[in-house]
Amino acid sequence: AQTVTQSQPEMSVQEAETVTLSCTYDTSENNYYLFWYKQPPSRQMILVIRQEAYKQQNATENRFSVNFQKAAKSFSLKISDSQLGDTAMYFCAFMKNNNNDMRFGAGTRLTVKP
Amino acid sequence: GAVVSQHPSWVICKSGTSVKIECRSLDFQATTMFWYRQFPKKSLMLMATSNEGSKATYEQGVEKDKFLINHASLTLSTLTVTSAHPEDSSFYICSARDAGARANYGYTFGSGTRLTVV
């Protein structure tokens, strides 16, 4: 079974600064997908960024980027120029290539301080 | 973009009654939908995978007779919490995969249903 570990229950960052959220996972699969989702106080799950395991290039979406280390099974999220609206729970998620279900880490509560 | 509508957003019911939660994909077809449960300040725990036209696949430890799932069409899945008890109080979230999209697109989530059993 796949497990996803987020070792930082809570993080805080000053507005405009950069923060990195950690995620590691355990799998015997070679092909899979990784995701970061954001859950603001409204509790709506919002896709932040995604990464295919077969791609070596790290995914980037505007202020959000990942550091994907396949050998280390690590998938960290970097948020640059943090904004107050980034305050939310962030979940790392894993999905096998040939299986449809998505497994989530425990989440990291990020607070952006003015 | 893909939208999933989940209804109701919150519900309060008496212990022993049943509650139905609907999950609809509004602008795409979803052959597969997923139901998650989220406790306060906790992660999303997969309860079951709902497949259109067939029986749902439940995760270990999830009572299929308590949490009835029906996926009768390509745009609608329902979760019925039968004979609800206070311990069933939780936040339930559905998600759906666009049948026409690549797997790496991820899933679209509903806005969730807060169930309180009194």
Side-chain angles (χ1 to χ4, degrees):
Chain A
Q2 287 72 35
T3 57
V4 181
T5 302
Q6 292 179 250
S7 58
Q8 306 153 313
E10 294 188 16
M11 294 277 286
S12 63
V13 63
Q14 290 295 133
E15 192 175 9
E17 302 209 335
T18 296
V19 64
T20 299
L21 308 184
S22 302
C23 174
T24 58
Y25 56 93
D26 184 29
T27 185
S28 58
E29 302 289 326
N30 188 48
N31 293 323
Y32 49 87
Y33 304 100
L34 296 164
F35 306 86
W36 278 98
Y37 278 87
K38 167 185 177 181
Q39 188 181 43
S42 68
R43 303 194 77 171
Q44 175 70 57
M45 295 288 284
I46 301 167
L47 178 63
V48 175
I49 199 166
R50 55 178 175 249
Q51 174 84 42
E52 294 99 321
Y54 61 86
K55 289 188 176 179
Q56 292 185 340
Q57 186 174 5
N58 289 323
T60 299
E61 289 286 342
N62 300 315
R63 298 184 293 107
F64 299 89
S65 61
V66 298
N67 183 0
F68 173 48
Q69 301 291 327
K70 190 174 184 179
K73 297 179 181 176
S74 171
F75 182 61
S76 61
L77 173 69
K78 185 172 80 172
I79 305 175
S80 304
D81 186 25
S82 297
Q83 301 176 358
L84 296 179
D86 295 334
T87 292
M89 282 289 289
Y90 286 82
F91 292 100
C92 178
F94 173 100
M95 185 173 71
K96 285 197 296 186
N97 188 39
N98 61 348
N99 187 306
N100 285 333
D101 65 73
M102 188 176 289
R103 305 286 170 158
F104 290 86
T108 297
R109 182 174 299 280
L110 176 67
T111 302
V112 180
K113 299 180 179 179
Chain B
V3 177
V4 171
S5 173
Q6 187 171 341
H7 179 80
S9 56
W10 61 271
V11 58
I12 301 174
C13 72
K14 291 185 177 181
S15 187
T17 62
S18 296
V19 174
K20 180 184 285 188
I21 303 170
E22 293 188 348
C23 181
R24 293 181 183 271
S25 56
L26 297 186
D27 49 1
F28 65 96
Q29 294 184 331
T31 53
T32 305
M33 292 185 176
F34 305 90
W35 288 96
Y36 292 85
R37 183 173 180 174
Q38 186 179 28
F39 292 101
K41 299 184 179 181
K42 297 294 184 182
S43 186
L44 282 73
M45 302 302 298
L46 180 66
M47 298 175 64
T49 301
S50 169
N51 299 300
E52 186 267 336
S54 64
K55 291 183 179 180
T57 302
Y58 290 82
E59 293 298 300
Q60 190 173 8
V62 177
E63 300 177 61
K64 60 181 180 181
D65 293 331
K66 165 167 276 298
F67 300 101
L68 299 179
I69 292 173
N70 187 305
H71 193 156
S73 75
L74 287 172
T75 59
L76 174 64
S77 176
T78 60
L79 167 67
T80 301
V81 182
T82 63
S83 187
H85 289 282
E87 57 265 32
D88 298 325
S89 298
S90 192
F91 192 70
Y92 295 87
I93 307 176
C94 70
S95 70
R97 177 185 171 189
D98 185 342
R102 294 172 56 188
N104 65 327
Y105 284 9
Y107 301 142
T108 302
F109 285 80
S111 55
T113 298
R114 181 179 301 281
L115 170 63
T116 302
V117 185
V118 298

